[in-house]
Amino acid sequence: MRTIDDLDVAGKRVLVRADLNVPLQDGAITDDGRIRASLPTIEALRARGAKVIVCAHLGRPKGEVKPEFSLAPVAERLGELLGADVAAARDVVGDSARAAVDGLADGGVALLENLRFEPGETSKDDAERGAFADRLAALAECYVGDGFGAVHRGHASVYDVPERLPHAAGGLIAAEVEVLKRLTQDVERPYAVALGGSKVSDKLGVIDNLLGKADRILIGGGMVFTFLKAQGHEVGKSLLEEDQLDTVREYLRRAEEAGVEFVLPVDIVAATAFAADAEHGVVAADAIPSDRLGLDIGPESGKLFAARLADARTVFWNGPMGVFEMEPYSHGTRAVAQGLLDSGAFTVVGGGDSAAAVRRLGFDEAAFSHISTGGGASLEYLEGKTLPGLQALED
């Protein structure tokens, strides 16, 4: 895979596909981690005299212009972090975009409006997607793929544009791929995986693949209740995927057969409602009251999980252990994050909510070996899938 060092960019217009899909609340950015992760590649290109055209998506506007999904706040924050003006286009490939690009000096930066305002970006029709890719590619002379969080999507800006321009991987994608190789090739053992988040169905592929690779798998978050139910336990009003019970039973059987240890919580924080101020308390994992729902793993489970991470040499963590955004249900996620740090292992935080939790709970990001910017992309890589955005950069 070529990197930006292999591209001649001086004085050239370089289109950088970044991942700037940051969370917003009332128009304000609540976590700028993905913007910060994009800075090294942008700054490296600026330093070499490129005219940098950044493109990215935000949310799911589904091909329509929706002001609440505008990248204008991102352009402002990017400019603050770069210490330079960022020309914010009001469209993606229209007059405003062309004017912003034409006005760039060497080392200048422009940000196009939300790619997903254009139906062609996500279209499954090759002709429609290709036509949009033509217009996007026409703005630039080179392409740099650096939005790891989008490489599992076969979208125009990720897959089709690099076919039309000299292309290379940015520093972020190169680093992500290097890390993920350490999780799949010649892994240092014991290899522990901690999985959380709301749904088992989101993690089916990765669990299936890890049954042949990991030494132990720790299960928390909303997905754990499907595992507990599969073992015959009452889960009350907790999140449950009834249609996955047989699949989960099969995973537990296969794990036992393969000698892979499944670690499930021994206690749960169960509440009367999905709210921070709801009545809540710690109950045994096999005795959740029928009128309560589990919102976090309990304190004994936090200790258990930390103990099962302590001797690991490689740890991959994807998905919070509970509703960490609400303080009463944040302690399980905190325990796992601390367990990663205390282990001294090669630790990878698999993007998405896990990365947000690390920042929200006040952990030093630099203390982890790697914090991924792409939750879904990381999982699909670990499933062994071909990721269109990586494939396009390798061709």
Side-chain angles (χ1 to χ4, degrees), residues 225-233 245 248-249 252 262 264-265:
F225 302 107
T226 304
F227 278 83
L228 293 173
K229 186 72 172 181
Q231 292 181 322
H233 303 312
L245 289 172
V248 166
R249 290 187 189 103
L252 292 170
F262 256 103
L264 299 178

Side-chain angles (χ1 to χ4, degrees), residues 9 13 39 45 53 111 120 233 243 286 289 301 311 313 323 327 347 379:
V9 299
R13 302 185 310 276
L39 294 179
L45 291 169
I53 309 159
L111 176 64
H233 303 312
D243 60 335
D286 59 0
S301 300
D311 68 338
R313 305 317 309 144
V323 188
E327 196 281 333
T347 53
L379 289 175

